[in-house]
Amino acid sequence: MLTGLPEIMEYTPAEDDEVSEMLYTLGAYMAVQVLTVNDLLLEQEKGLTGPAVVAGFSDSVDGASRLTDEEIDEQWELIRDILTQPRAEGEEPMVQNQAIGIQFQEQNAARDGVVVTESGLQYEVLREGDGERPTAEDRVEVHYEGTLVTGEVFDSSYEREESITFPLNRVIAGWTEGLQLMQVGAKYRFVIPAELAYGASERAEGLIQPYSTLIFEVELLSINPAE
């Protein structure tokens, strides 16, 4: 957690207030980004402090930032240099993974046909479907292939020749959000930032390193299939 944060007023959304809920989600996403950077900087003993973050955010929102746009760009370059500094030999390359993932996301977002949601999830329609869309409470049946930004496959139901079925609210956030955009019969390509995937966790017997951006091609076969 960041230290020194001011007390924040309790927020209770009004019933069916979609705009407020959207803005609350945006704030939550921004907080995840800040905390992720904080964790990375703490590894190099350069952790953030709450008051500085809040002051920079508040001043910019009020149009009273003490930095020009050019100065912000320059400072951000310095921060990125810190995040991408080489780590000691033998340590896991968390910082490099984060930087490589951000660069890949930026490049992918610039491609034709790629849509970026408010959470940062990126998707591309490979084939549209004509069936229903699932909700987070549904069980879904899918075929998929997961790769790293290097193109290395870390998991594939196609290779196993067996689809999988799971509750949509029991998987990574990128899947929960992304599959609700799809109709049965559709096939999408998702680029999922680390914070919507496995974050700081290592998975797939070490193939997925901490703070890895993941790519999935997912085919939605059915909703609530029979047991």
Side-chain angles (χ1 to χ4, degrees), residues 144-169:
Y144 71 95
E145 180 173 85
T147 62
L148 306 175
V149 296
T150 60
E152 181 179 5
V153 177
F154 59 80
D155 194 12
S156 174
S157 66
Y158 294 106
E159 290 183 1
R160 293 192 298 272
E161 298 183 350
E162 184 178 3
S163 63
I164 65 168
T165 300
F166 51 84
L168 195 49
N169 58 6

Side-chain angles (χ1 to χ4, degrees), residues 38-167:
N38 180 62
D39 290 343
L40 294 172
L41 292 175
L42 280 174
E43 294 175 7
Q44 302 184 31
E45 299 181 354
K46 296 182 177 68
L48 306 175
T49 60
V53 175
V54 173
F57 179 87
S58 299
D59 289 349
S60 295
V61 170
D62 292 339
S65 175
R66 61 183 179 82
L67 300 174
T68 65
D69 291 345
E70 291 76 14
E71 289 172 330
I72 291 173
D73 289 340
E74 291 175 1
Q75 289 295 318
W76 176 241
E77 288 301 320
L78 293 176
I79 293 173
R80 292 188 66 167
D81 288 344
I82 292 173
L83 297 181
T84 55
Q85 286 178 1
R87 297 171 60 82
E89 184 177 355
E91 291 185 303
E92 294 177 338
M94 296 183 185
V95 175
Q96 290 91 328
N97 288 341
Q98 182 80 357
I100 291 170
I102 291 173
Q103 183 179 28
F104 182 89
Q105 293 166 42
E106 291 174 349
Q107 294 172 345
N108 187 69
R111 295 173 54 242
D112 290 340
V114 173
V115 180
V116 184
T117 71
E118 290 189 1
S119 71
L121 175 70
Q122 301 182 3
Y123 71 91
E124 179 181 2
V125 178
L126 303 181
R127 183 183 69 235
E128 282 289 16
D130 57 6
E132 298 293 324
R133 286 188 173 87
T135 68
E137 289 71 36
D138 288 327
R139 292 169 63 249
V140 295
E141 179 188 8
V142 305
H143 257 314
Y144 71 95
E145 180 173 85
T147 62
L148 306 175
V149 296
T150 60
E152 181 179 5
V153 177
F154 59 80
D155 194 12
S156 174
S157 66
Y158 294 106
E159 290 183 1
R160 293 192 298 272
E161 298 183 350
E162 184 178 3
S163 63
I164 65 168
T165 300
F166 51 84

